[in-house]
Short mmCIF file of all heavy atoms in Angstrom, two decimals:
data_model
loop_
_atom_site.label_atom_id
_atom_site.label_comp_id
_atom_site.label_asym_id
_atom_site.label_seq_id
_atom_site.Cartn_x
_atom_site.Cartn_y
_atom_site.Cartn_z
N ARG A 29 231.77 104.99 134.97
CA ARG A 29 230.94 104.36 134.05
C ARG A 29 231.17 104.85 132.61
O ARG A 29 231.01 104.09 131.69
CB ARG A 29 229.46 104.62 134.43
CG ARG A 29 228.45 103.74 133.80
CD ARG A 29 228.63 102.25 134.16
NE ARG A 29 228.88 102.00 135.37
CZ ARG A 29 228.03 101.78 136.43
NH1 ARG A 29 226.77 101.97 136.22
NH2 ARG A 29 228.40 101.48 137.59
N LEU A 30 231.32 106.13 132.54
CA LEU A 30 231.72 106.68 131.20
C LEU A 30 232.97 106.17 130.67
O LEU A 30 233.13 106.01 129.47
CB LEU A 30 231.79 108.34 131.41
CG LEU A 30 231.94 109.07 130.02
CD1 LEU A 30 230.78 108.70 128.98
CD2 LEU A 30 232.01 110.48 130.30
N VAL A 31 234.00 105.97 131.64
CA VAL A 31 235.34 105.22 131.21
C VAL A 31 234.94 104.08 130.61
O VAL A 31 235.48 103.62 129.52
CB VAL A 31 236.33 105.27 132.31
CG1 VAL A 31 237.57 104.43 132.00
CG2 VAL A 31 236.61 106.62 132.84
N PHE A 32 234.17 103.22 131.21
CA PHE A 32 233.84 101.84 130.77
C PHE A 32 233.12 101.93 129.32
O PHE A 32 233.44 101.11 128.55
CB PHE A 32 232.93 101.10 131.80
CG PHE A 32 232.48 99.79 131.28
CD1 PHE A 32 233.26 98.67 131.56
CD2 PHE A 32 231.27 99.46 130.67
CE1 PHE A 32 232.90 97.45 131.06
CE2 PHE A 32 230.83 98.27 130.20
CZ PHE A 32 231.68 97.28 130.45
N LEU A 33 232.25 102.86 129.23
CA LEU A 33 231.38 103.04 128.05
C LEU A 33 232.49 103.31 126.91
O LEU A 33 232.41 102.62 125.80
CB LEU A 33 230.50 104.15 128.12
CG LEU A 33 229.79 104.61 126.89
CD1 LEU A 33 228.93 103.42 126.27
CD2 LEU A 33 228.76 105.74 127.07
N VAL A 34 233.31 104.25 127.10
CA VAL A 34 234.35 104.63 126.04
C VAL A 34 235.32 103.43 125.60
O VAL A 34 235.43 103.15 124.53
CB VAL A 34 235.17 105.82 126.47
CG1 VAL A 34 236.29 106.10 125.53
CG2 VAL A 34 234.28 107.10 126.64
N LYS A 35 235.69 102.80 126.64
CA LYS A 35 236.56 101.65 126.44
C LYS A 35 235.90 100.51 125.80
O LYS A 35 236.53 99.79 124.88
CB LYS A 35 237.32 101.21 127.78
CG LYS A 35 238.24 102.12 128.42
CD LYS A 35 239.34 102.54 127.45
CE LYS A 35 240.39 103.57 128.05
NZ LYS A 35 241.31 103.92 127.07
N TYR A 36 234.65 100.28 126.22
CA TYR A 36 233.94 99.16 125.48
C TYR A 36 233.67 99.59 124.07
O TYR A 36 233.67 98.69 123.22
CB TYR A 36 232.68 98.91 126.27
CG TYR A 36 231.85 97.71 125.63
CD1 TYR A 36 232.25 96.47 125.94
CD2 TYR A 36 230.89 97.98 124.73
CE1 TYR A 36 231.55 95.42 125.28
CE2 TYR A 36 230.18 96.87 124.10
CZ TYR A 36 230.61 95.68 124.36
OH TYR A 36 229.93 94.58 123.73
N PHE A 37 233.42 100.83 123.92
CA PHE A 37 233.25 101.29 122.48
C PHE A 37 234.43 101.11 121.65
O PHE A 37 234.41 100.79 120.42
CB PHE A 37 232.81 102.71 122.46
CG PHE A 37 232.64 103.39 121.13
CD1 PHE A 37 231.40 103.13 120.38
CD2 PHE A 37 233.52 104.13 120.40
CE1 PHE A 37 231.28 103.56 118.99
CE2 PHE A 37 233.40 104.52 119.20
CZ PHE A 37 232.23 104.31 118.50
N ASP A 38 235.55 101.38 122.21
CA ASP A 38 236.90 101.03 121.49
C ASP A 38 237.15 99.57 121.06
O ASP A 38 237.45 99.21 119.98
CB ASP A 38 238.20 101.40 122.38
CG ASP A 38 238.17 102.96 122.46
OD1 ASP A 38 237.51 103.67 121.85
OD2 ASP A 38 238.84 103.38 123.56
N PHE A 39 236.62 98.72 122.07
CA PHE A 39 236.52 97.27 121.89
C PHE A 39 235.67 96.85 120.64
O PHE A 39 235.97 96.16 119.81
CB PHE A 39 236.30 96.38 123.05
CG PHE A 39 235.59 95.07 122.79
CD1 PHE A 39 236.59 94.11 122.48
CD2 PHE A 39 234.30 94.86 122.81
CE1 PHE A 39 236.12 92.75 122.28
CE2 PHE A 39 233.92 93.56 122.53
CZ PHE A 39 234.75 92.53 122.19
N TYR A 40 234.55 97.62 120.68
CA TYR A 40 233.39 97.43 119.77
C TYR A 40 233.93 97.73 118.34
O TYR A 40 233.72 97.15 117.39
CB TYR A 40 232.22 98.30 120.15
CG TYR A 40 231.14 98.35 119.15
CD1 TYR A 40 230.17 97.33 119.04
CD2 TYR A 40 230.98 99.49 118.32
CE1 TYR A 40 229.05 97.39 118.31
CE2 TYR A 40 229.88 99.47 117.42
CZ TYR A 40 228.91 98.51 117.41
OH TYR A 40 227.80 98.54 116.55
N GLN A 41 234.81 98.80 118.31
CA GLN A 41 235.42 99.37 117.04
C GLN A 41 236.39 98.41 116.47
O GLN A 41 236.49 98.17 115.30
CB GLN A 41 235.89 100.87 117.19
CG GLN A 41 234.94 101.85 117.40
CD GLN A 41 233.97 102.08 116.27
OE1 GLN A 41 233.05 101.40 116.08
NE2 GLN A 41 234.33 103.07 115.42
N PHE A 42 237.25 98.01 117.40
CA PHE A 42 238.39 96.90 117.03
C PHE A 42 237.60 95.70 116.37
O PHE A 42 238.07 95.22 115.41
CB PHE A 42 239.13 96.69 118.19
CG PHE A 42 240.14 97.77 118.52
CD1 PHE A 42 240.32 98.12 119.86
CD2 PHE A 42 240.95 98.35 117.57
CE1 PHE A 42 241.35 99.09 120.17
CE2 PHE A 42 241.87 99.35 117.85
CZ PHE A 42 242.10 99.70 119.12
N TYR A 43 236.66 95.31 117.15
CA TYR A 43 235.95 94.10 116.72
C TYR A 43 235.41 94.19 115.43
O TYR A 43 235.38 93.22 114.55
CB TYR A 43 234.91 93.67 117.85
CG TYR A 43 234.48 92.28 117.63
CD1 TYR A 43 235.13 91.35 118.49
CD2 TYR A 43 233.32 91.88 116.94
CE1 TYR A 43 234.72 89.94 118.26
CE2 TYR A 43 233.01 90.46 116.87
CZ TYR A 43 233.57 89.43 117.53
OH TYR A 43 233.21 88.24 117.36
N ARG A 44 234.69 95.31 115.20
CA ARG A 44 234.06 95.55 113.80
C ARG A 44 235.01 95.57 112.75
O ARG A 44 234.75 95.21 111.62
CB ARG A 44 233.19 96.86 113.86
CG ARG A 44 231.91 96.77 114.67
CD ARG A 44 231.10 98.07 114.64
NE ARG A 44 230.79 98.26 113.15
CZ ARG A 44 230.23 99.35 112.85
NH1 ARG A 44 230.06 100.46 113.57
NH2 ARG A 44 229.87 99.65 111.54
N LYS A 45 236.35 96.09 113.00
CA LYS A 45 237.32 96.12 111.96
C LYS A 45 238.05 94.83 111.86
O LYS A 45 239.11 94.75 111.15
CB LYS A 45 238.22 97.31 112.30
CG LYS A 45 237.53 98.71 112.23
CD LYS A 45 238.69 99.76 112.66
CE LYS A 45 237.94 101.16 112.75
NZ LYS A 45 238.90 102.10 113.18
N ARG A 46 237.66 93.77 112.71
CA ARG A 46 238.33 92.50 112.57
C ARG A 46 239.70 92.62 113.15
O ARG A 46 240.62 91.91 112.73
CB ARG A 46 238.21 91.77 111.37
CG ARG A 46 236.80 91.68 110.84
CD ARG A 46 236.64 90.84 109.58
NE ARG A 46 237.10 89.52 109.87
CZ ARG A 46 236.24 88.56 110.19
NH1 ARG A 46 234.92 88.97 110.70
NH2 ARG A 46 236.61 87.29 110.51
N ASP A 47 239.98 93.64 113.91
CA ASP A 47 241.32 93.75 114.52
C ASP A 47 241.33 93.06 115.94
O ASP A 47 241.18 93.74 116.95
CB ASP A 47 241.63 95.28 114.68
CG ASP A 47 243.10 95.53 114.79
OD1 ASP A 47 243.86 94.59 114.96
OD2 ASP A 47 243.49 96.67 114.84
N PHE A 48 241.40 91.78 115.84
CA PHE A 48 241.10 91.03 117.12
C PHE A 48 242.11 91.03 118.17
O PHE A 48 241.74 90.85 119.30
CB PHE A 48 240.92 89.47 116.63
CG PHE A 48 239.65 89.37 115.62
CD1 PHE A 48 239.90 88.72 114.44
CD2 PHE A 48 238.49 89.82 116.16
CE1 PHE A 48 238.85 88.65 113.53
CE2 PHE A 48 237.32 89.56 115.35
CZ PHE A 48 237.50 88.99 114.00
N LEU A 49 243.40 91.18 117.93
CA LEU A 49 244.33 91.31 118.98
C LEU A 49 244.18 92.25 119.89
O LEU A 49 244.07 92.11 121.13
CB LEU A 49 245.81 91.13 118.34
CG LEU A 49 246.15 89.80 117.85
CD1 LEU A 49 247.55 89.94 117.18
CD2 LEU A 49 246.19 88.74 118.84
N PRO A 50 244.18 93.58 119.50
CA PRO A 50 243.84 94.66 120.40
C PRO A 50 242.44 94.60 121.06
O PRO A 50 242.23 95.11 122.23
CB PRO A 50 244.08 95.96 119.49
CG PRO A 50 243.86 95.51 118.12
CD PRO A 50 244.29 94.14 118.09
N ALA A 51 241.52 94.11 120.32
CA ALA A 51 240.14 93.88 120.87
C ALA A 51 240.21 92.93 122.02
O ALA A 51 239.59 93.18 123.08
CB ALA A 51 239.21 93.38 119.69
N ALA A 52 240.91 91.83 121.86
CA ALA A 52 240.93 90.92 122.91
C ALA A 52 241.70 91.29 124.20
O ALA A 52 241.25 91.22 125.34
CB ALA A 52 241.79 89.55 122.39
N GLU A 53 242.92 92.14 123.90
CA GLU A 53 243.64 92.78 124.94
C GLU A 53 242.65 93.69 125.77
O GLU A 53 242.68 93.72 127.02
CB GLU A 53 244.77 93.54 124.51
CG GLU A 53 245.54 94.10 125.57
CD GLU A 53 246.85 94.90 124.96
OE1 GLU A 53 247.04 94.89 123.65
OE2 GLU A 53 247.47 95.46 125.70
N LEU A 54 241.99 94.61 125.03
CA LEU A 54 241.01 95.49 125.63
C LEU A 54 239.99 94.91 126.40
O LEU A 54 239.50 95.25 127.50
CB LEU A 54 240.56 96.50 124.59
CG LEU A 54 239.78 97.64 125.04
CD1 LEU A 54 240.67 98.46 125.98
CD2 LEU A 54 239.41 98.59 123.89
N LEU A 55 239.40 93.70 125.83
CA LEU A 55 238.29 93.12 126.45
C LEU A 55 238.78 92.45 127.83
O LEU A 55 237.99 92.51 128.94
CB LEU A 55 237.81 91.97 125.59
CG LEU A 55 236.58 91.22 126.13
CD1 LEU A 55 235.41 92.05 126.37
CD2 LEU A 55 236.23 90.04 125.18
N VAL A 56 239.94 91.92 127.88
CA VAL A 56 240.42 91.31 129.09
C VAL A 56 240.69 92.36 130.08
O VAL A 56 240.44 92.22 131.29
CB VAL A 56 241.77 90.55 128.82
CG1 VAL A 56 242.41 90.08 130.13
CG2 VAL A 56 241.41 89.33 127.87
N ASN A 57 241.25 93.58 129.61
CA ASN A 57 241.55 94.71 130.57
C ASN A 57 240.13 95.10 131.24
O ASN A 57 240.17 95.43 132.41
CB ASN A 57 242.14 95.85 129.88
CG ASN A 57 243.65 95.46 129.51
OD1 ASN A 57 244.15 94.68 130.13
ND2 ASN A 57 244.15 96.16 128.42
N LEU A 58 239.02 95.17 130.41
CA LEU A 58 237.74 95.57 130.93
C LEU A 58 237.34 94.55 131.97
O LEU A 58 236.68 95.03 133.05
CB LEU A 58 236.73 95.68 129.84
CG LEU A 58 236.96 96.84 128.99
CD1 LEU A 58 235.89 96.80 127.80
CD2 LEU A 58 236.64 98.23 129.75
N LEU A 59 237.48 93.19 131.71
CA LEU A 59 237.13 92.23 132.68
C LEU A 59 237.84 92.49 134.04
O LEU A 59 237.27 92.14 135.18
CB LEU A 59 237.36 90.88 132.13
CG LEU A 59 236.51 90.44 131.00
CD1 LEU A 59 236.98 89.04 130.32
CD2 LEU A 59 234.95 90.14 131.48
N ASP A 60 239.12 92.81 133.95
CA ASP A 60 239.85 92.99 135.23
C ASP A 60 239.82 94.32 135.81
O ASP A 60 240.40 94.62 136.85
CB ASP A 60 241.37 92.68 134.79
CG ASP A 60 241.67 91.30 134.57
OD1 ASP A 60 240.86 90.37 134.99
OD2 ASP A 60 242.57 91.01 133.78
N SER A 61 239.04 95.26 135.18
CA SER A 61 238.98 96.62 135.65
C SER A 61 238.35 96.97 136.84
O SER A 61 238.35 98.09 137.36
CB SER A 61 238.55 97.59 134.45
OG SER A 61 237.14 97.24 134.16
N LYS A 62 237.40 96.12 137.21
CA LYS A 62 236.53 96.44 138.51
C LYS A 62 235.50 97.55 138.16
O LYS A 62 234.81 97.95 139.14
CB LYS A 62 237.39 96.72 139.64
CG LYS A 62 238.35 95.68 140.03
CD LYS A 62 237.73 94.24 140.25
CE LYS A 62 238.82 93.25 140.64
NZ LYS A 62 238.37 91.98 140.95
N ILE A 63 235.31 98.05 136.97
CA ILE A 63 234.42 99.17 136.70
C ILE A 63 233.20 98.67 135.86
O ILE A 63 232.44 99.31 135.42
CB ILE A 63 235.16 100.38 135.96
CG1 ILE A 63 235.71 99.95 134.59
CG2 ILE A 63 236.02 100.87 136.89
CD1 ILE A 63 236.15 101.04 133.81
N THR A 64 233.13 97.19 135.57
CA THR A 64 232.05 96.77 134.82
C THR A 64 230.77 96.70 135.61
O THR A 64 230.73 96.17 136.70
CB THR A 64 232.34 95.31 134.33
OG1 THR A 64 233.67 95.34 133.56
CG2 THR A 64 231.42 94.73 133.47
N PRO A 65 229.76 97.36 135.18
CA PRO A 65 228.44 97.31 135.85
C PRO A 65 227.91 95.89 135.86
O PRO A 65 228.04 95.09 134.98
CB PRO A 65 227.53 98.21 135.03
CG PRO A 65 228.23 98.34 133.67
CD PRO A 65 229.66 98.11 133.85
N GLU A 66 227.09 95.55 136.91
CA GLU A 66 226.67 94.17 137.09
C GLU A 66 225.75 93.77 135.90
O GLU A 66 225.89 92.72 135.38
CB GLU A 66 225.73 94.20 138.39
CG GLU A 66 225.07 92.91 138.68
CD GLU A 66 224.33 93.01 139.83
OE1 GLU A 66 224.83 92.73 141.08
OE2 GLU A 66 223.00 93.19 139.82
N TYR A 67 224.88 94.67 135.43
CA TYR A 67 223.98 94.22 134.27
C TYR A 67 224.67 94.03 133.08
O TYR A 67 224.14 93.44 132.05
CB TYR A 67 222.93 95.50 134.10
CG TYR A 67 223.49 96.80 133.74
CD1 TYR A 67 223.86 97.00 132.39
CD2 TYR A 67 223.76 97.71 134.65
CE1 TYR A 67 224.48 98.19 132.06
CE2 TYR A 67 224.18 98.96 134.29
CZ TYR A 67 224.64 99.14 132.99
OH TYR A 67 225.16 100.47 132.63
N PHE A 68 226.03 94.47 132.88
CA PHE A 68 226.68 94.25 131.57
C PHE A 68 227.64 93.02 131.62
O PHE A 68 228.27 92.77 130.60
CB PHE A 68 227.62 95.54 131.37
CG PHE A 68 227.70 95.84 129.87
CD1 PHE A 68 226.75 96.27 129.11
CD2 PHE A 68 228.93 95.52 129.25
CE1 PHE A 68 226.94 96.63 127.75
CE2 PHE A 68 229.08 95.70 127.89
CZ PHE A 68 228.13 96.30 127.12
#
């Protein structure tokens, strides 16, 4: 769960900096990671 939090925070940072390509790659990886909590 902490891994998911850190990786999502990285996505959050990329997105805020409008660095969309790594943000998109990271987001897709999170969707495929099987560690996403149900409520999120």
Side-chain angles (χ1 to χ4, degrees):
R29 193 60 44 82
L30 185 59
V31 173
F32 179 83
L33 172 63
V34 173
K35 292 302 180 183
Y36 183 80
F37 179 78
D38 292 342
F39 160 77
Y40 176 81
Q41 292 292 86
F42 285 135
Y43 196 90
R44 287 184 61 191
K45 296 175 182 177
R46 305 186 67 79
D47 199 353
F48 295 121
L49 287 177
E53 181 182 358
L54 193 52
L55 183 62
V56 173
N57 288 337
L58 285 175
L59 289 169
D60 291 334
S61 66
K62 306 298 183 182
I63 60 173
T64 304
E66 181 183 272
Y67 61 81
F68 208 77

